[in-house]
Amino acid sequence: MRDVVFTRGSGWIPNVISEDGELRLMLGAGADANHEPRTFTFPIGEAHLAVIREDLPRHLLLWSAVLPLCEAAGTAGRLDEDAAVALLDPILLSPPEDVDALFRRIRWDGDRLVAHGADVDLLRRGRVCAAMRSATGTPDEKRAQEHRADRRRAERGVVLGPLDAAILRYTGQYAHGATVPRRLPGAVDAALLPEVMRVIATAERACAGMRIGLDPRRGNRAVDKRAWERVATAVDSAVRRAHPGLADDAVRTVGFLMCSETADRSRSTPVDDDAEAADGRTGPGGGAHKAALVFTDDKGAEKKWRRGGRRGASAEFWEFVGDRSAADNEVFTVEDEERGEGIQLHFYADSVARVTTVREGKGGSDPEYRVEYALVDGLDAYRALVSAFVRGGCAALDPYGPWMPDVAEFERARRERRDAR
């Protein structure tokens, strides 16, 4: 038979129960192998119950000291009741100086105390009883999260100034650096907000007009990593130049915000529409726009595009790539069957081949092709190559060389570029 004798009715603060006539402290901590919360109990006396009822700080201190014992029990082990019982008198019945001395010798969970209002500076100085004078029964988990973040920064040797902290709060990344940044002016002290906005304005000017599109080579949701890095570098340089006193964490969070917002804007901006592809004008390579093209991948998939549709060839091709690309599918081809030419994109090798039919096969003989290779520097270069081919065929690709007909020469160029990086 289990009855609740005393509870503060707030969060996870331990309760006192009566079980078969014995007083026990009951707390939830950790999880079992199925990720369900575990519950632990251990015996206490009437004197301990009296202090727990009347003294919230001592109750919280006992909780923080017992939590590491629960953690040590793991997913299926038993609580070391003897060790838990041994904490009762020193924490609940001893004078403050003895409690402080005990906490300098044992493991304890400072995050729980911070969540319940403990003075962080006093905790650091080992004055736990004094720190708990500001304790509250209602936890503030955000305060504990920020305390953990500060501790991780301290381990890296990072000290934030008031403006650094305000910028991280503005982006919502003070406690969680991996969260998607947002604009939260209400989270910043009003006196610091104008200064924060000056930093943000510097970053906005630095990346004005830049874009971060999707990278279909990595599926339909991945952003162009190189474009992201360009925006981040531009923002980083501008912010550090205009505001040299900012900590690295603050500069990075501003860059992350600008990159995220730039990527969001770019997603709503059409790319590679090739709207002119339907009107039959002449492309820069001198040839007419393609009437029909065939897209293929390395797995045998095929898609045909014909002029006059709602979307241009480039847009259709990159959609095909986004739908089909994978770690084992990184070779895609755009072919103009009527003219006997095409380009083959090798995403795994940052290269491209243009293929031109020199002689048609006749009388059972195989056709003869001229194959030339070129190195490609990033997604933008791939997009330019595809657009040029769509407009003017292989002749329009001349400016994107040098084109190497010799495979050995091409492989040497690849190795030299790889070694230079």
Side-chain angles (χ1 to χ4, degrees):
M1 182 71 178
R2 175 182 290 182
D3 298 308
V4 176
V5 176
F6 175 74
T7 178
R8 295 193 182 275
S10 177
W12 291 83
I13 299 177
N15 300 326
V16 178
I17 63 171
S18 175
E19 194 169 57
D20 297 329
E22 180 183 45
L23 291 176
R24 299 182 72 88
L25 193 73
M26 181 175 72
L27 68 158
D32 61 20
N34 295 319
H35 307 289
E36 295 293 332
R38 296 198 68 193
T39 299
F40 301 92
T41 69
F42 62 93
I44 66 172
E46 291 288 351
H48 306 133
L49 172 59
V51 175
I52 288 171
R53 282 183 184 276
E54 302 299 327
D55 196 330
L56 172 63
R58 297 279 182 136
H59 189 181
L60 296 173
L61 286 170
L62 176 63
W63 183 24
S64 77
V66 175
L67 280 173
L69 298 178
C70 299
E71 179 184 335
T75 60
R78 296 175 58 85
L79 176 70
D80 186 343
E81 288 195 8
D82 291 340
V85 169
L87 294 169
L88 292 170
D89 287 357
I91 294 176
L92 298 178
L93 306 178
S94 299
E97 57 271 19
D98 290 349
V99 177
D100 290 347
L102 172 69
F103 272 68
R104 286 193 286 270
R105 300 193 306 269
I106 65 171
R107 287 182 60 210
W108 48 285
D109 190 329
D111 290 343
R112 286 299 86 219
L113 302 184
V114 171
H116 281 271
D119 185 299
V120 174
D121 184 58
L122 289 174
L123 285 181
R124 289 197 190 103
R125 289 155 53 189
R127 298 180 58 194
V128 293
C129 288
M132 296 306 293
R133 290 173 187 158
S134 56
T136 64
T138 302
D140 181 347
E141 295 301 335
K142 182 179 178 182
R143 189 170 188 260
Q145 291 167 358
E146 293 190 351
H147 173 65
R148 286 193 291 272
D150 287 337
R151 188 170 63 239
R152 290 192 296 269
R153 291 188 187 100
E155 291 169 354
R156 294 188 283 119
V158 174
V159 178
L160 298 179
L163 179 57
D164 300 317
I167 290 172
L168 285 163
R169 288 194 169 93
Y170 178 84
T171 62
Q173 289 201 301
Y174 189 98
H176 300 290
T179 56
V180 176
R182 298 169 291 162
R183 297 194 182 219
L184 302 170
V188 180
D189 185 277
L192 284 170
L193 186 57
E195 200 169 352
V196 170
M197 296 313 297
R198 281 193 288 273
V199 176
I200 298 299
T202 299
E204 289 172 336
R205 288 191 296 271
C207 63
M210 301 181 76
R211 59 173 292 120
I212 302 174
L214 296 175
D215 188 346
R217 298 173 300 174
R218 296 174 176 85
N220 282 320
R221 298 181 61 86
V223 299
D224 182 353
K225 182 179 179 181
R226 182 171 293 192
W228 183 287
E229 290 172 349
R230 279 199 298 267
V231 173
T233 298
V235 171
D236 186 281
S237 299
V239 170
R240 289 184 191 278
R241 186 167 55 249
H243 310 278
L246 289 179
D248 289 346
D249 286 25
V251 176
R252 277 195 294 269
T253 197
V254 173
F256 193 4
L257 175 66
M258 294 298 110
C259 287
S260 297
E261 291 182 344
T262 301
D264 286 342
R265 287 194 300 271
S266 300
R267 288 190 186 99
S268 62
T269 304
V271 295
D272 294 318
D273 270 347
D274 287 344
E276 76 280 9
D279 66 12
R281 285 178 292 166
T282 300
H289 286 283
K290 303 304 178 186
L293 296 170
V294 178
F295 311 143
T296 58
D297 67 3
D298 212 23
K299 298 291 185 179
E302 180 179 297
K303 180 177 183 178
K304 291 187 177 181
W305 172 87
R306 295 186 182 279
R307 190 173 63 201
R310 183 176 57 87
R311 302 177 69 199
S314 291
E316 291 283 354
F317 171 71
W318 288 112
E319 182 179 74
F320 176 71
V321 172
D323 290 339
R324 299 286 303 168
S325 62
D328 61 346
N329 195 24
E330 297 186 286
V331 177
F332 288 80
T333 301
V334 183
E335 186 178 357
D336 182 345
E337 293 178 326
E338 182 179 345
R339 294 177 61 116
E341 58 184 15
I343 56 171
Q344 189 174 70
L345 285 59
H346 314 131
F347 295 144
Y348 68 93
D350 292 329
S351 65
V352 63
R354 65 176 178 179
V355 183
T356 307
T357 302
V358 175
R359 181 178 56 81
E360 297 287 349
K362 293 181 180 180
S365 65
D366 293 331
E368 181 182 344
Y369 300 104
R370 181 173 66 251
V371 182
E372 301 166 291
Y373 302 91
L375 299 175
V376 182
D377 188 18
L379 178 62
D380 288 346
Y382 274 122
R383 288 188 182 279
L385 282 160
V386 171
S387 294
F389 180 80
V390 167
R391 292 192 301 268
C394 282
L397 301 178
D398 286 343
Y400 299 92
W403 293 93
M404 293 165 270
D406 183 69
V407 174
E409 178 190 0
F410 170 65
E411 288 299 331
R412 281 195 301 272
R414 277 189 60 203
R415 286 194 298 271
E416 288 172 2
R417 182 175 66 175
R418 181 191 61 204
D419 295 342
R421 287 178 174 175

